[in-house]
Amino acid sequence: QVQLVESGGGLVQAGGSLRLSCAASGRTVSSYAMGWFRQAPGKEREFVAAINLSGGRTYADSVKGRFTISRDNAESTVCLQMNSLKPEDTAVYYCAAGFVVVTTTRVARYWGKGTLVTVSS
């Protein structure tokens, strides 16, 4: 089992950048496919980005070209670099781990508690 803790959220102006981190304990991120999801108020949790065990990356169309997911197996962390942020990126961002490519909530086995990102216009 793995425990996930997100950090790095905050308030940023539109066009700005934030870097989210997900620290894993219990088992390292090298054992899992990892992903980021987000949930805006009143909306369902949605996929943002994923990185599989071999390093392959998948992005939601809404963030492609602006967000970058990366993993550091030695540090057991997964990061989400978010650039050119828009007000519609405002949400609670969750880190997730699974045994297959984590692009849906259904296949995510472990979740962090989330970190809030607010983008002001």
Side-chain angles (χ1 to χ4, degrees), residues 5-64:
V5 178
E6 303 94 337
S7 62
L11 174 64
V12 63
Q13 288 188 331
S17 299
L18 279 176
R19 184 175 179 85
L20 305 184
S21 293
C22 173
S25 60
R27 294 188 68 177
T28 69
V29 298
S30 61
S31 301
Y32 299 96
M34 302 296 296
W36 286 94
F37 292 75
R38 67 187 181 187
Q39 188 166 17
K43 295 188 177 181
E44 293 186 354
R45 192 169 299 189
E46 65 176 6
F47 166 71
V48 175
I51 186 165
N52 62 24
L53 289 168
S54 61
R57 296 168 172 84
T58 307
Y59 297 96
D61 288 343
S62 59
V63 307
K64 203 170 292 184

Side-chain angles (χ1 to χ4, degrees), residues 12-19 38 62-68 81-90 93 117 119-120:
V12 63
Q13 288 188 331
S17 299
L18 279 176
R19 184 175 179 85
R38 67 187 181 187
S62 59
V63 307
K64 203 170 292 184
R66 300 188 298 123
F67 291 10
T68 302
Q81 178 66 42
M82 306 186 296
N83 298 328
S84 302
L85 282 161
K86 305 174 181 180
E88 52 263 45
D89 294 319
T90 295
Y93 284 71
V117 172
V119 184
S120 63

Side-chain angles (χ1 to χ4, degrees), residues 92-106:
V92 177
Y93 284 71
Y94 297 90
C95 179
F99 299 110
V100 295
V101 177
V102 186
T103 56
T104 67
T105 57
R106 182 172 52 85

